[in-house]
Amino acid sequence: MAREQAVYGNPWVAVRPGDDVAVLARRLSSAHQSFIDAHDGAAIADDSRVRTVVLESWMRSRNKGVDPDVVGAPEMLEGLDLESYRSSHPMSLIRPVVRKLLVEDAADTGLLIAISDAHGRLLWVEGDSAAKDRALSMNFVEGADWSEDRVGTNAPGTALALDHSVQIFGSEHFNRTVHDWSCSAAPVHDPTTGQILGAIDITGGPRVAVPEVLSLIRATVAAAESELRFHLLNSPIPLTASAPRLETFGGGRPTLVRGGERIPVSQRHAEILLLLAEHPEGLSADHLAVLLDEGELDGVTIRAEMSRLRKVFGADRLASRPYRIITEFATDVDDVRKALDRGDAATAMRLYSGPVLSGSTAPGIDAIRDELRTRVQAALLRGGDANLLAKWTTSVHGREDSVVWEAYLSTLDPKSALYSQVKAKIDLLDRQLGL
């Protein structure tokens, strides 16, 4: 990123002074097609046609399995659920500022102004009515999930993923459905805790991706955060209580952390909460039953478990038809994934202190457990850091991991005593595996 800034200027700006927008659009469209066609995204990792911040977002989008051609059915929050959620959300406090600075002048401009929560869910989408109608085709609507994980590279989702203001121009969007649009967005923070509360976004045509619009967004965020500071001077209530958090690692009993209280939960309730966190779009009773026990459970049993879970977790935090979590919710699994997404293998290793719900035999939990272990292992092998490889081989995850033992061996001096010890361990693992 530093090299890119030295060569190209501000890496967060999409269209620079003097850029020919038509030429830029063709260049980016070609680069996007090359990336989508490539079996290995690393094959164009040095493509000078694409900003590093965009290329890295494309890689994350691909790794998350985002479809580059279709914005699927949105993971919607609708009706009373949406109204209740957004009216009580701290971003509602800054809506008057956003309306005054951005929305009031957006009529008949082709621009949309969106306010999202910290996870990319669009709370309000206002502005030009014709643009709102056009945006329906890509599900850019109130209540939809526009996180980077869900729809790929886009300004509000990527701004939240990176905790930085950013512009995305046309074909820089991962999904082709969004290539006719450009956008500028920036995150909004709790002025007391620094926690991300959400994002403010301007979406429209190519002129939205010029530096002046990014400056406008950042100025609006500054005014919004000043409004939040003023609010806090007159209110003893924090903007946000800590989101409920599920801790699943290790052999102990899973724990729900809520409002500073640590609440031990049953394995079944932890399984359900983790599976719902993995499926923010929601799960039917039958689908949830299969993920828990491959057909041994029925809908009646699931409904009874959900009734008991509401008493522990909070009835206002769970919705039904389908079952889903409708509040901010964190898990230790997500913490490890976020560290991996940032390329921070050391933090991922530190956080990944044990298997996910080690006592669970639920098929859905098995899949999460295997996916996380595989991702951490891959990050370690890719990084080749001898210290991290050594830590993995002494952890519960890696004691019998012959692949990482081999990688660790390759970092050692063949003449050292440690090399001989590691080689002996590999030989022992090979004999145990019959190799």
Side-chain angles (χ1 to χ4, degrees), residues 126-415:
E126 302 178 274
D128 182 83
S129 57
K132 286 184 73 173
D133 290 342
R134 285 181 57 217
L136 287 173
S137 65
M138 61 177 183
N139 294 317
F140 192 81
V141 294
E142 294 176 349
D145 180 355
W146 267 70
S147 62
E148 191 181 75
D149 286 357
R150 172 67 179 173
V151 298
T153 309
N154 71 95
T158 301
L160 291 169
L162 299 178
D163 193 10
H164 201 287
S165 56
V166 68
Q167 294 181 312
I168 301 297
F169 170 78
S171 297
E172 289 182 328
H173 289 93
F174 185 74
N175 192 292
R176 290 189 179 96
T177 307
V178 197
H179 281 189
D180 289 338
W181 300 82
S182 296
C183 43
S184 295
V188 177
H189 299 87
D190 182 328
T192 301
T193 66
Q195 178 182 349
I196 296 177
L197 300 176
I200 300 172
D201 167 76
I202 299 179
T203 290
R207 62 195 177 95
V208 171
V210 300
E212 293 81 0
V213 175
L214 192 62
S215 296
L216 175 61
I217 279 285
R218 295 175 66 180
T220 303
V221 166
E225 291 177 349
S226 293
E227 179 68 16
L228 293 175
R229 288 188 189 92
F230 179 77
H231 169 82
L232 288 168
L233 287 175
N234 297 280
S235 173
I237 302 173
L239 290 175
T240 55
S242 297
R245 170 184 167 81
L246 180 66
E247 297 180 352
T248 68
F249 294 146
R253 189 170 180 182
T255 301
L256 179 66
V257 182
R258 188 180 61 197
E261 183 182 8
R262 296 181 64 83
I263 306 166
V265 294
S266 70
Q267 180 168 280
R268 180 62 84 202
H269 284 170
E271 290 169 344
I272 293 172
L273 286 172
L274 185 55
L275 289 169
L276 292 179
E278 294 286 302
H279 295 270
E281 74 279 9
L283 293 168
S284 67
D286 289 343
H287 191 178
L288 184 54
V290 170
L291 292 174
L292 289 169
D293 207 343
E294 287 195 354
E296 293 299 319
L297 299 176
D298 56 28
V300 174
T301 303
I302 293 297
R303 286 190 287 273
E305 285 289 356
M306 292 302 297
S307 178
R308 288 189 282 269
L309 179 57
R310 284 190 174 93
K311 296 175 182 177
V312 176
F313 188 62
D316 60 334
R317 295 185 170 99
L318 289 171
S320 55
R321 300 180 184 175
Y323 293 121
R324 62 196 188 280
I325 296 171
I326 56 172
T327 187
E328 293 187 21
F329 184 58
T331 70
D332 49 9
V333 171
D334 250 355
D335 292 341
V336 173
R337 286 180 178 146
K338 288 175 182 176
L340 293 171
D341 288 344
R342 296 193 304 268
D344 188 352
T347 296
M349 272 284 297
R350 177 175 57 80
L351 296 174
Y352 190 33
S353 57
V356 178
L357 293 177
S358 59
S360 174
T361 58
I365 301 302
D366 275 342
I368 296 169
R369 189 184 295 137
D370 291 345
E371 176 260 343
L372 194 64
R373 184 185 183 282
T374 299
R375 281 199 63 189
V376 175
Q377 183 203 53
L380 295 175
L381 293 173
R382 184 167 57 250
D385 185 297
N387 290 330
L388 294 181
L389 292 169
K391 287 181 181 179
W392 180 261
T393 61
T394 60
S395 72
V396 64
H397 312 286
R399 292 170 189 155
E400 311 300 319
D401 189 339
S402 59
V403 175
V404 173
W405 276 105
E406 289 279 4
Y408 179 35
L409 183 69
S410 70
T411 69
L412 302 175
D413 181 350
K415 297 178 181 178

Side-chain angles (χ1 to χ4, degrees), residues 416-427:
S416 69
L418 184 56
Y419 182 94
S420 299
Q421 294 170 23
V422 172
K423 182 67 169 63
K425 174 64 176 180
I426 294 171
D427 291 342

